[in-house]
Amino acid sequence: MMESLAAAGVQQLPKPELRPSEVCSAEPTPTTEATASVEKTPPEVSSAATLDILRDEIACCELCHELATTRTQTVFGVGDPQARLCFLGEAPGADEDREGEPFVGRAGQLMNRILAACNLAREDVYILNVLKCRPPENRNPTLVESQNCRHFLDRQLQLIKPEFICCLGAVAAQNLLNTTESIGRLRGRLHDYQGIHVLCTYHPAYLLRNPSAKKDAWDDMKLLMREMGTPVG
Ligand code: URA
Ligand code: URA
């Protein structure tokens, strides 16, 4: 349905926003032995024509059965759809699952302060996560979950076309760059992802637990701002 709307040149779904259960053709299928054993394969990359269409496509996703049946809602992303800079986190936590927006909890508050120190507001950048669903008990995403969600992340990035991505923490950095190198080794320099400059730094939740790492994180942000042509500090 989304694809035929897009083909017909319809860019916007009617407002007010539809709840996922109204957008999607079906509620998550209950697990049976038959459905649990069937591996659904994600496409290489979503063909959604706009971020709004992609948001609705994601809201209906059931590729990860456990996540689809435990989430309150999917968490798509927020900010300027034409931002030069995207911040990439790991996955929604409890606050984000409840509010439907990334980085709104305690880590998000610290992120807002880091942005402010860079003369940026949340509206100036785009904030998104590797996973669009909250993993139960905030466990790390599994390999299959990140693979399932990857076609959405890649499509989001194709539509936003950022010049820079700041990966927050090891999970985001290792996922995006497809590496097992530690965040300590990945930080402090620029990487390339499909022509996008990528800076990796510590996750704000890690900085809350390890305040001594804030100096390194601030050095990373200064490097990023310098490279963007808007130096700070
Ligand atoms: N941590 C993340 O990685 N992402 C969020 O959206 C919130 C906390
Ligand atoms: N380990 C992580 O996963 N993230 C950090 O930011 C630091 C250590």
Side-chain angles (χ1 to χ4, degrees):
M1 188 267 254
M2 302 300 171
E3 273 159 6
S4 56
L5 285 180
V10 178
Q11 302 283 305
Q12 293 277 335
L13 284 170
K15 306 286 175 190
E17 275 178 28
L18 298 171
R19 286 166 31 80
S21 58
E22 297 169 278
V23 174
C24 306
S25 57
E27 291 291 313
T29 330
T31 309
T32 63
E33 274 177 39
T35 55
S37 61
V38 173
E39 288 280 334
K40 297 184 203 165
T41 314
E44 279 295 299
V45 69
S46 161
S47 61
T50 68
L51 287 174
D52 281 341
I53 293 171
L54 184 61
R55 181 192 300 271
D56 288 338
E57 198 180 299
I58 288 174
C60 302
C61 181
E62 297 177 23
L63 283 174
C64 307
H65 188 270
E66 184 189 16
L67 303 187
T69 49
T70 56
R71 70 188 178 213
T72 304
Q73 57 191 319
T74 53
V75 178
F76 180 68
V78 71
D80 177 358
Q82 297 178 341
R84 291 180 68 205
L85 170 60
C86 283
F87 283 85
L88 179 65
E90 175 177 333
D95 297 305
E96 291 76 22
D97 174 72
R98 189 172 54 242
E99 296 194 29
E101 182 172 327
F103 284 100
V104 292
R106 248 166 65 76
Q109 302 300 311
L110 176 54
M111 182 177 174
N112 291 346
R113 294 200 293 278
I114 295 170
L115 285 173
C118 296
N119 301 317
L120 292 169
R122 286 169 74 91
E123 301 74 43
D124 299 324
V125 299
Y126 200 93
I127 307 169
L128 72 176
N129 284 309
V130 168
L131 282 202
K132 311 309 183 196
C133 295
R134 179 193 183 203
E137 314 302 326
N138 298 338
R139 61 163 171 74
N140 278 357
T142 67
L143 182 61
V144 170
E145 287 165 354
S146 339
Q147 284 169 347
N148 282 345
C149 227
R150 187 53 179 257
H151 68 299
F152 292 138
L153 173 62
D154 277 330
R155 188 65 188 148
Q156 251 176 326
L157 294 174
Q158 285 174 359
L159 290 166
I160 299 165
K161 301 188 191 73
E163 291 169 56
F164 295 86
I165 298 174
C166 180
C167 291
L168 299 172
V171 170
Q174 292 174 349
N175 256 283
L176 187 76
L177 299 174
N178 191 25
T179 176
T180 54
E181 250 192 295
S182 70
I183 188 73
R185 292 179 57 88
L186 290 168
R187 61 160 293 274
R189 61 199 161 97
L190 289 182
H191 305 261
D192 175 86
Y193 180 69
Q194 300 187 349
I196 307 170
H197 305 294
V198 177
L199 179 97
C200 305
T201 192
Y202 295 115
H203 194 288
Y206 177 83
L207 297 178
L208 289 170
R209 296 191 304 271
N210 301 274
S212 62
K214 284 183 181 174
K215 187 192 171 299
D216 281 347
W218 181 233
D219 285 343
D220 292 335
M221 295 313 297
K222 284 194 290 192
L223 168 66
L224 177 59
M225 290 303 116
R226 205 160 55 235
E227 293 291 332
M228 290 185 68
T230 50
V232 288

